[in-house]
Amino acid sequence: MPEAGHTGEHVHPTAEVYLRVAAVLVILTVLEVGVFYVPVFHPVLVPALLVLSAAKFTLVVMFYMHLKADSRFFSFLFGAPLLLAVAVMIALLFLFFGALTLRGTAGAG
Amino acid sequence: MTHAAATHHTSMGLDSRKMAFWAFIGSECLLFGSLISTYLVYKGRSVVGPYPHDILNIPFTSVSTFDLLMSSLMMVLALAAVQRGDMKWGKIWLFATALLGLVFLGGQVIEFTEFVHKGLTISTNLFGCTFFVLTGTHGAHVAVGVLWLLTLGTRALQGKLGPANAMTVEITGLYWHFVDVVWIVIFTVVYLIQ
Amino acid sequence: MSEPRGLKSWLTTTDHKRIGLLYFWTAFGFFLVGGLEALVIRLQLAQPNGHVVSAETYNQLFTMHGTTMVFLALMPLAASFFNYIVPLQIGARDVAFPRLNAFSYWVFLLGGLLLNASWFTGPLFHAGTLNVAPNGGWFGYANLTERQFSPGPNIDFWLLGLQVLGISSLAAGFNFIVTILNLRAPGMKMMRLPTFTWMTLVTQFIIITAFPVITVALVFLMFDRFFGTHFYLQQAGGTPLLWQHLFWLFGHPEVYILILPAMGIVSDVLPTFSRKPLFGYPVVVYSGILIGFMGWGVWSHHMFAVGLGPIADSVFAATTMLIAVPTGVKIFNWIATLWGGDIRGTTALHFAVGFIAMFIIGGLSGVSHASPPADLQQTDTYYVVAHIHYVLFGGTIMGLFAGMYYWWPKMTGRLLSEPLGKWHFWLQLVGMNLAFFPMHFIGLLGMPRRIYTYSPDLGVTDLNLISTIGAFLVGVAILVFLYNVLRTRRRGERASNDPWGGATLEWSIPSPPPVYNFSVIPTVTNRLPRWSTDRHGPIQDPPATPPAPIHVPGGSWWPMVAALGLPLMALAPLTHTLWIVFVGAAVLLFGIYRWAFEPFEV
Amino acid sequence: MPRTRLWLLTAALAVSGCAGPFPQSTLQPRSDFARATDALFTDIFWWAALVFVIVETLLVVALVRFRHREGRPVPKPMHGHTLMEIAWTLAPAVILVFVAVPTVRTIFATAGDAPADALKVDVIGHQWWWEYRYPELGVVTANEAHVPVGKPVQVTITSADVIHAFWAPRLGGKRDAIPGRENRIAFRADSVGDYSGQCGEFCGASHANMRLLVRVDADSAFERWVAAQRAGPAAPAAGSLAEQGKAVYSRSACLGCHTIQGVSPGVIGPNLTHVGSRSTIAGGIFPNDSAHLAQWIADAPALKPGSIMTRMKPPLTDADIAALVAYLQSLQ
Ligand code: HEA
Ligand code: HEA
Ligand code: CUA
Ligand SMILES: [Cu+2]
């Protein structure tokens, strides 16, 4: 990497960090499946699962894809479309499940 | 892609290929975003079964998920090895990543065949349509990733991949992790939230 | 270092300037095709109960007219300027990925040919007619486009063609984002970028986010048509509205993909010919970004008649109307740029001003569409057709012609004739108003769009005739332009580096530029490098001969080979022959592989 | 600018509605619904005209005043002006408020359902004709709807195949007819008359030929019409040509597609029980006379591209067709 110096984008974590992140990821996955099977959690199943998977998502993106240490511009290139996609998804869910409509019949799609 | 571009001076001080690749990943967010949105808006609208809870095999898919997570670990280890010039481990980890990718694909093949046996095909109901197209698109991404990793691995075996190509490996990694991240979402949205 | 010649040098070229020219001529050719389709449409509608073409052919004509104009003419015409001009404006030797750039072009060409092949391949599908062109309208609403209601290969051509074209746009999108961000000359900060380059950048961001959505929509349609899924079928619990949402999630941003480059061109042309910097540069740039962004939140204004319910209608009405604000800001800044200037009435300026004058009309009818109750009377009538042609023809096409007259000397080394240019402009302006203005009334008087015949009772016969005459006047205007082009090739005045006194870097080098563009990459210290302002003098133009030899990358066959794989893959579903897909994929992968590992110095 | 004047002049003409008979003009509303949208449009139109005049005038003045003249000094570089930017951001925003508020008001005013006692009409779009059902009256007909004047009408719109849009411009705006979904509009027609319209969403080969007619009747006429439609089909006189026609009908493919009460139950094509009472056939494109009926029965796709009613196989003889025509015409 001759240009590693002047591009200043390589502050990659060590293998040890990678392993620790992997451990956390595994634990989170076990938790996810656990939450799914243990009836106690069922009232909060959806939020719990969303939080857990968001955590996994963030860990991989931050550490394995180095966004935490890399240029913030890359975070923008990834984050902006991601937000857009999420916004579109929420808007479509609203439109399809009729929360935005007053009439029952209009909600069906 | 050439390695030459990387040595050029760039206005933002960022590698051009890496930047292009992040833009590509951004674009992929909308691809999978649309697929997942469709899955969600059609959730619970199938008029005939089988329905998700009849058929999804959580223990099996948990193992696949674990497999893909581990492949991500292998991938970063491969990158770290290549970056420090340790091509022996670099090769090992690269092939290990590809292997885990293949295992995942194998799992998907088994899963799909089982579903078909249980009466869920792509045309059975809306669940079948959205499920197979979403997970199938993801699987196709994994397959491309495996091909890519095997190409790099082969070049490493030929001695054509060294620390000078770390950026190539890093970009491969970006792709691979992104595919993993998508699976994290799919696993939750499709399998766990039924 | 001298310019390579011959067919091979064009087929393998990775030079952004040559690719720009290839884009230009291909897209212009498609523009003529789309225009001819429009003329046949107008002939058919010149009178009630017209008999020029059959219903089936008419439906193919307007579908292909819309599809061709949007995807094969306007987008790639803009792309030709992205290719040719953007690297010159930012002081670069080429784009970031020259071979990816070549790939984009070949994919575009092949995708366009694939779509248009449908005009001649009926017999191959035992269709009983020569033409099996797409016939579902340019937004191909499901479930009409499902196999049940469109059994022939027509819609297959459409969806596969668009799928292929999307790949071209996406590849170019990544390429230009990186080019603009990363290959700027020293000192060229983001807020020193020429406005055209800025708008190009915004456009590319819209492209890379909007195209995946239509890709997915088309994949669903493809699966429905070929593999028996039910994404858009109500029998299985689905709904054809899913298609509408996905299409317009793409489709509305798409219209800003079409207009923003033209707005960028106008923002470059006006300052040059009024000898005054662009008024409110940062505001023009930010409003462009804002338009791109807001364009994502309005898609359902194409679906007011669908019955989304009053709350959704109100929300989308409000977001849509809001877009008028940043657009208006641009218009006012342009007028302020002219104000107090020393305006030289060149043809390019004529077209730029024509853009403003006509686009306002289109924008205002847009605002009247944005009001759902009013739109219930307008949607799917000629009033909408009037709107789209004022923004697309009066807007984008006018802007693109401004760009052609402005950059022609840079791209070819010769100046287009100004008197002929004026003739072209006035004929086109009068023609388009004759053609499209009556459509407002035709629509309000109750004539729907997409009808191959109408009743004389409607009372719109004369208006339609006027419209047809106008369309042919536009045709004459285009012929004048073509004549101008031919004349210029042979007898046109040779262009100096800078025939207009432009402020941006492309004018600092010879016309046409040498392969390496800049003998010495300039260092930029302000936004108008070639002008003197209160604070700066003009920069020195690069020397005519490079002080040191400059390495120019050779060509490559592989982008074209890889590109060939895509239409091949598309042939598989068209012909219902599975193995072709593997051949196509193999060609694609082989091309990419060779290209990835061939020695290529940028 | 001559174009400006032309726009204003012609628009004024059209708005005032004195420019000839325009049966589908959106500018001559004849129901509360259509009046509401028309009033809104007129509002927006004048705002747009105002913006148009101001902005185009500024543009033209700039061009004329600052055109190049020999010896004009090099212009002062002006880079911008914050206050002006704010002004021309706010001004359009304010105008838009004046457009948005009545818009939202009209959306809600026109979105509500008609009162419960309104006449209910179900509209079903087919490729390429309209089916009308009056669920409370037990009437089924095609292409020509009748409604009483001055009474609220609740229209429920759906489709049997692809997406269409129901549109009778002078009575109100379009609503899409979407398979698997019911859309509703409500209106109260305010004058008696025939209001034509047509399908507004591209729906395939004969989209252009999917027209419709809404007849707004005075109360008594409407009741007479309902009574006639509810009656069974007229029985042809013994020995008449019509009776032969009935026999032909009963042994031909017709009965697979068409309903004639008590004769055949088909549902693919229009209900023919009272076909003779309608003024047009085939989606409102041909007058309902013997010549057109005969041609239609002989070869519908020749008259209407893509028609789902195919040519009969084996072909009917001319005599059979004449008999059928007589029979259909007898079905008043
Ligand atoms: C270049 C492409 C382009 C552009 C730029 C626009 C711009 C706009 N469009 Fe248009 N539109 C199309 C291309 C475009 N459109 C196409 C192709 C279709 C039809 C698709 C199909 O059905 O086939 C369509 C259809 C369409 C519809 C759907 C109509 C229907 O089918 O029923 C609507 C509805 O809201 C709409 C609205 C607008 C608005 C509000 C703008 C705004 O961005 C306009 C903003 C500009 C101005 C308003 C003028 C300048 C502003 C000022 C001078 C400031 C002062 C102004 C005010 C206070 C009002 N458009
Ligand atoms: C994107 C840009 C674009 C452009 C530039 C144009 C340009 C033109 N368009 Fe079109 N149009 C659309 C986009 C565009 N259009 C879209 C998206 C639709 C909707 C499609 C749909 O409903 O699915 C549409 C629909 C549409 C319709 C409605 C069809 C219908 O609903 O039934 C009509 C009708 O008149 C029309 C006319 C024209 C005309 C006369 C021109 C003219 O400006 C064309 C000018 C060009 C030429 C005239 C050709 C060049 C000259 C020559 C080749 C020389 C030969 C000349 C002579 C012999 C005189 N267009
Ligand atoms: Cu029915 Cu158009
Ligand atoms: Cu839009």
Side-chain angles (χ1 to χ4, degrees):
Chain A
M1 289 256 54
E3 80 282 17
H6 72 252
T7 51
E9 48 182 273
H10 289 293
V11 212
H12 289 168
T14 57
E16 198 194 332
V17 176
Y18 290 150
L19 284 169
R20 256 191 247 139
V21 171
V24 179
L25 286 172
V26 172
I27 294 171
L28 288 175
T29 308
V30 171
L31 277 179
E32 277 187 318
V33 180
V35 167
F36 178 77
Y37 278 114
V38 180
V40 187
F41 291 110
H42 281 186
V44 290
L45 182 68
V46 173
L49 284 175
L50 286 180
V51 169
L52 286 172
S53 92
K56 286 165 70 181
F57 188 100
T58 319
L59 278 176
V60 174
V61 171
M62 285 298 173
F63 291 96
Y64 285 4
M65 297 168 88
H66 317 302
L67 265 193
K68 184 160 182 281
D70 223 332
S71 163
R72 299 216 3 224
F73 184 68
F74 292 150
S75 306
F76 166 78
L77 274 182
F78 177 59
L82 181 68
L83 281 180
L84 194 61
V86 172
V88 162
M89 190 182 301
I90 293 173
L92 282 177
L93 283 171
F94 264 107
L95 283 164
F96 272 75
F97 289 104
L100 275 179
T101 58
L102 288 183
R103 268 192 255 139
T105 45
Chain B
M1 297 185 193
T2 57
H3 336 119
T7 57
H8 272 272
H9 166 84
T10 61
S11 317
M12 297 193 65
L14 301 172
D15 181 81
S16 285
R17 283 185 304 154
K18 197 166 161 187
M19 187 188 286
F21 211 82
W22 273 112
F24 170 72
I25 291 181
S27 177
E28 291 272 285
C29 285
L30 277 125
L31 186 95
F32 283 106
S34 314
L35 288 165
I36 295 172
S37 300
T38 304
Y39 182 84
L40 288 176
V41 298
Y42 273 174
K43 210 170 155 134
R45 282 170 152 247
S46 297
V47 289
V48 294
Y51 302 101
H53 55 264
D54 302 333
I55 208 161
L56 293 178
N57 183 342
I58 303 298
F60 183 86
T61 315
S62 304
V63 174
S64 286
T65 307
F66 176 75
D67 166 84
L68 212 52
L69 276 179
M70 285 306 108
S71 82
S72 259
L73 175 63
M74 305 291 119
M75 188 68 232
V76 277
L77 293 179
L79 174 62
V82 173
Q83 274 172 344
R84 55 169 198 272
D86 178 356
M87 286 316 293
K88 180 177 150 237
W89 281 99
K91 278 175 240 172
I92 294 178
W93 293 131
L94 274 177
F95 279 110
T97 315
L99 185 71
L100 290 183
L102 279 174
V103 169
F104 179 85
L105 284 177
Q108 207 166 31
V109 170
I110 295 173
E111 186 191 30
F112 282 15
T113 355
E114 191 177 311
F115 285 5
V116 171
H117 282 309
K118 286 188 180 157
L120 183 76
T121 69
I122 195 168
S123 54
T124 306
N125 56 18
L126 279 185
F127 170 55
C129 302
T130 50
F131 173 82
F132 282 111
V133 172
L134 171 58
T135 53
T137 308
H138 177 264
H141 277 73
V142 176
V144 169
V146 168
L147 259 174
W148 190 347
L149 286 163
L150 289 177
T151 313
L152 289 190
T154 315
R155 289 186 70 83
L157 285 180
Q158 294 168 336
K160 289 184 190 156
L161 189 85
N165 312 107
M167 184 53 79
T168 308
V169 179
E170 186 172 344
I171 289 173
T172 317
L174 287 179
Y175 178 81
W176 193 256
H177 300 309
F178 177 70
V179 172
D180 185 17
V181 157
V182 171
W183 185 256
I184 290 177
V185 177
I186 293 180
F187 181 57
T188 306
V189 170
V190 175
Y191 289 85
L192 295 181
I193 304 178
Q194 289 182 4
Chain C
M1 220 156 58
S2 70
E3 190 104 14
R5 294 180 173 281
L7 182 65
K8 176 180 166 234
S9 74
W10 283 91
L11 295 180
T12 61
T13 188
T14 55
D15 177 354
H16 72 98
K17 298 182 289 300
R18 286 191 164 198
I19 294 175
L21 291 174
L22 287 173
Y23 259 112
F24 182 82
W25 288 113
T26 313
F28 204 86
F30 282 128
F31 171 69
L32 293 182
V33 172
L36 278 178
E37 284 156 4
L39 292 183
V40 181
I41 290 176
R42 283 312 328 164
L43 271 183
Q44 168 85 354
L45 297 178
Q47 290 168 36
N49 301 327
H51 284 295
V52 178
V53 290
S54 68
E56 185 45 39
T57 305
Y58 183 88
N59 296 344
Q60 300 178 11
L61 279 170
F62 73 69
T63 303
M64 285 300 280
H65 165 69
T67 309
T68 301
M69 285 297 193
V70 169
F71 295 99
L72 301 179
L74 268 53
M75 282 182 74
L77 274 175
S80 95
F81 292 131
F82 303 160
N83 265 285
Y84 207 106
I85 302 300
V86 164
L88 302 183
Q89 284 198 329
I90 62 175
R93 291 239 154 87
D94 207 325
V95 296
F97 308 102
R99 288 172 301 170
L100 186 62
N101 203 22
F103 175 75
S104 298
Y105 169 73
W106 293 113
V107 175
F108 151 59
L109 174 69
L110 294 168
L113 292 179
L114 176 71
L115 255 177
N116 277 284
S118 57
W119 284 117
F120 314 105
T121 43
L124 293 182
F125 296 93
H126 313 289
T129 48
L130 182 62
N131 46 324
V132 286
N135 56 0
W138 87 279
F139 45 70
Y141 272 6
N143 54 347
L144 177 61
T145 47
E146 294 278 358
R147 188 68 75 195
Q148 184 191 352
F149 299 107
S150 300
N154 314 50
I155 301 296
D156 299 333
F157 271 105
W158 184 76
L159 77 90
L160 294 164
L162 287 194
Q163 205 67 288
V164 170
L165 289 167
I167 292 169
S168 160
S169 304
L170 282 167
F174 307 129
N175 205 345
F176 280 96
I177 287 176
V178 177
T179 303
I180 295 171
L181 292 171
N182 245 357
L183 299 194
R184 284 167 283 140
M188 173 85 69
K189 300 188 178 140
M190 288 310 277
M191 288 319 268
R192 288 179 185 160
L193 283 181
T195 334
F196 174 63
T197 300
W198 248 117
M199 291 307 113
T200 306
L201 182 63
V202 177
T203 306
Q204 307 307 335
F205 270 104
I206 309 179
I207 288 179
I208 67 163
T209 43
F211 269 79
V213 185
I214 193 180
T215 302
V216 168
L218 290 167
V219 166
F220 292 164
L221 184 61
M222 186 170 84
F223 273 73
D224 274 9
R225 287 180 65 85
F226 289 103
F227 307 117
T229 54
H230 325 282
F231 283 100
Y232 307 123
L233 294 175
Q234 78 284 0
Q235 294 93 327
T239 167
L241 292 186
L242 176 66
W243 167 270
Q244 297 193 14
H245 281 295
L246 292 177
F247 184 89
W248 292 118
L249 263 165
F250 151 82
H252 189 84
E254 168 71 20
V255 308
Y256 294 113
I257 293 172
L258 294 169
I259 201 72
L260 284 174
M263 290 179 159
I265 292 173
V266 168
S267 308
D268 272 10
V269 169
L270 292 179
T272 300
F273 295 112
S274 38
R275 291 241 156 281
K276 224 170 126 268
L278 182 65
F279 195 90
Y281 168 87
V283 182
V284 173
V285 168
Y286 290 137
S287 61
I289 299 174
L290 204 60
I291 291 174
F293 196 73
M294 293 165 74
W296 274 93
V298 304
W299 76 92
S300 288
H301 67 213
H302 296 273
M303 301 167 62
F304 285 147
V306 155
L308 296 174
I311 296 183
D313 279 356
S314 304
V315 170
F316 281 105
T319 53
T320 302
M321 288 177 191
L322 264 184
I323 293 196
V325 174
T327 318
V329 164
K330 276 178 176 271
I331 305 244
F332 293 123
N333 276 294
W334 288 329
I335 295 178
T337 304
L338 291 167
W339 204 272
D342 177 23
I343 305 170
R344 281 174 302 154
T346 55
T347 310
L349 183 97
H350 276 68
F351 276 102
V353 170
F355 170 100
I356 303 177
M358 295 299 104
F359 179 76
I360 291 172
I361 303 179
L364 292 171
S365 58
V367 171
S368 72
H369 290 315
S371 177
D375 188 55
L376 291 183
Q377 291 285 25
Q378 299 158 4
T379 185
D380 277 310
T381 68
Y382 265 81
Y383 192 86
V384 174
V385 180
H387 164 66
I388 70 184
H389 288 91
Y390 269 91
V391 286
L392 288 168
F393 194 91
T396 307
I397 290 279
M398 286 283 190
L400 289 171
F401 272 117
M404 289 179 215
Y405 280 92
Y406 185 54
W407 284 311
W408 201 269
K410 185 52 61 189
M411 294 168 71
T412 66
R414 288 177 191 264
L415 286 148
L416 286 166
S417 148
E418 283 286 313
L420 279 175
K422 304 277 166 59
W423 271 103
H424 169 196
F425 171 77
W426 287 110
L427 280 170
Q428 183 164 316
L429 187 80
V430 173
M432 75 151 277
N433 279 292
L434 274 183
F436 303 127
F437 204 80
M439 289 184 182
H440 291 109
F441 303 117
I442 297 176
L444 291 173
L445 294 177
M447 174 158 157
R449 62 195 284 205
R450 299 172 161 185
I451 55 175
Y452 73 97
T453 181
Y454 56 95
S455 157
D457 300 340
L458 283 187
V460 292
T461 308
D462 298 342
L463 289 167
N464 268 302
L465 185 62
I466 297 175
S467 172
T468 301
I469 294 172
F472 276 82
L473 213 55
V474 174
V476 173
I478 304 290
L479 287 179
V480 172
F481 174 73
L482 288 175
Y483 172 68
N484 198 352
V485 167
L486 276 180
R487 209 195 72 102
T488 302
R489 249 182 96 81
R490 273 186 255 113
R491 288 187 281 140
E493 187 191 329
R494 292 211 176 265
S496 61
N497 283 13
D498 181 10
W500 313 122
T504 41
L505 290 181
E506 74 267 32
W507 303 110
S508 67
I509 52 176
S511 309
V515 242
Y516 47 77
N517 296 351
F518 295 88
S519 56
V520 173
I521 300 289
T523 298
V524 179
T525 54
N526 77 45
R527 197 166 59 69
L528 303 160
R530 303 191 66 258
W531 280 3
S532 50
T533 65
D534 351 339
R535 277 161 285 170
H536 306 269
I539 60 160
Q540 187 125 48
D541 289 349
T545 45
I550 297 168
H551 170 78
V552 177
S556 169
W557 285 102
W558 302 117
M560 189 210 271
V561 171
L564 268 171
L566 290 169
L568 259 180
M569 284 165 80
L571 278 187
L574 260 183
T575 56
H576 298 265
T577 321
L578 186 65
W579 58 266
I580 300 183
V581 100
F582 298 109
V583 177
V587 171
L588 177 68
L589 287 177
F590 178 69
I592 293 179
Y593 181 84
R594 291 301 300 264
W595 143 21
F597 297 114
E598 92 184 316
F600 186 89
E601 294 285 318
V602 196
Chain D
M1 230 183 185
R3 204 178 45 248
T4 317
R5 246 179 289 134
L6 186 78
W7 165 229
L8 288 173
L9 197 82
T10 333
L13 261 180
V15 170
S16 66
C18 57
F22 298 117
Q24 288 181 197
S25 170
T26 61
L27 305 171
Q28 297 160 327
R30 289 294 179 274
S31 84
D32 54 348
F33 181 14
R35 282 184 202 284
T37 58
D38 181 56
L40 182 61
F41 175 70
T42 310
D43 247 28
I44 298 173
F45 170 78
W46 288 115
W47 282 115
L50 178 76
V51 172
F52 175 82
V53 171
I54 294 175
V55 185
E56 301 275 356
T57 311
L58 282 174
L59 183 64
V60 172
V61 170
L63 287 174
V64 174
R65 247 184 85 185
F66 300 103
R67 69 179 184 279
H68 176 69
R69 289 203 203 85
E70 280 320 313
R72 193 196 272 281
V74 176
K76 267 207 331 276
M78 271 280 283
H79 289 280
H81 193 287
T82 313
L83 222 61
M84 280 167 90
E85 300 287 354
I86 295 176
W88 61 48
T89 307
L90 284 182
V94 170
I95 293 182
L96 286 173
V97 172
F98 284 97
V99 176
V101 170
T103 291
V104 174
R105 229 180 248 147
T106 315
I107 292 176
F108 281 90
T110 52
D113 284 342
D117 64 338
L119 172 72
K120 305 226 169 12
V121 184
D122 293 347
V123 175
I124 303 162
H126 296 259
Q127 275 181 324
W128 290 272
W129 58 282
W130 295 98
E131 177 177 356
Y132 300 105
R133 295 170 169 268
Y134 296 69
E136 291 158 341
L137 306 175
V139 170
V140 180
T141 182
N143 298 325
E144 280 176 35
H146 286 243
V147 299
V149 69
K151 295 261 165 62
V153 181
Q154 174 73 65
V155 185
T156 305
I157 304 164
T158 188
S159 164
D161 37 49
V162 303
I163 303 177
H164 307 270
F166 178 73
W167 187 38
R170 298 181 67 185
L171 298 177
K174 295 171 203 68
R175 270 288 177 220
D176 286 351
I178 301 166
R181 231 180 108 93
E182 286 185 348
N183 262 323
R184 280 190 257 169
I185 51 175
F187 64 82
R188 187 195 297 259
D190 53 29
S191 32
V192 171
D194 286 358
Y195 299 102
S196 64
Q198 60 193 98
C199 174
E201 185 67 78
F202 181 63
C203 52
S206 262
H207 162 62
N209 300 322
M210 188 166 166
R211 300 184 193 153
L212 57 90
L213 189 67
V214 180
R215 304 201 131 162
V216 176
D217 292 335
D219 273 355
S220 52
F222 181 71
E223 267 153 33
R224 273 199 307 280
W225 178 77
V226 171
Q229 296 290 311
R230 290 174 77 155
S240 65
L241 187 60
E243 194 186 39
Q244 284 175 39
K246 184 174 178 186
V248 177
Y249 180 91
S250 309
R251 65 173 144 83
S252 304
C254 322
L255 47 91
C257 295
H258 291 284
T259 296
I260 293 178
Q261 250 178 61
V263 182
S264 69
V267 290
I268 293 171
N271 185 312
L272 299 179
T273 309
H274 296 285
V275 62
S277 71
R278 307 204 272 263
S279 61
T280 59
I281 56 164
I285 52 173
F286 300 112
N288 188 1
D289 55 29
S290 329
H292 282 97
L293 271 175
Q295 282 177 34
W296 176 260
I297 295 168
D299 190 354
L303 293 194
K304 188 166 181 177
S307 174
I308 309 287
M309 174 163 156
T310 48
R311 294 180 63 164
M312 296 306 130
K313 273 183 243 154
L316 298 163
T317 63
D318 287 352
D320 281 353
I321 291 177
L324 273 172
V325 170
Y327 174 51
L328 293 176
Q329 285 181 325
S330 76
L331 296 174
Q332 285 296 327

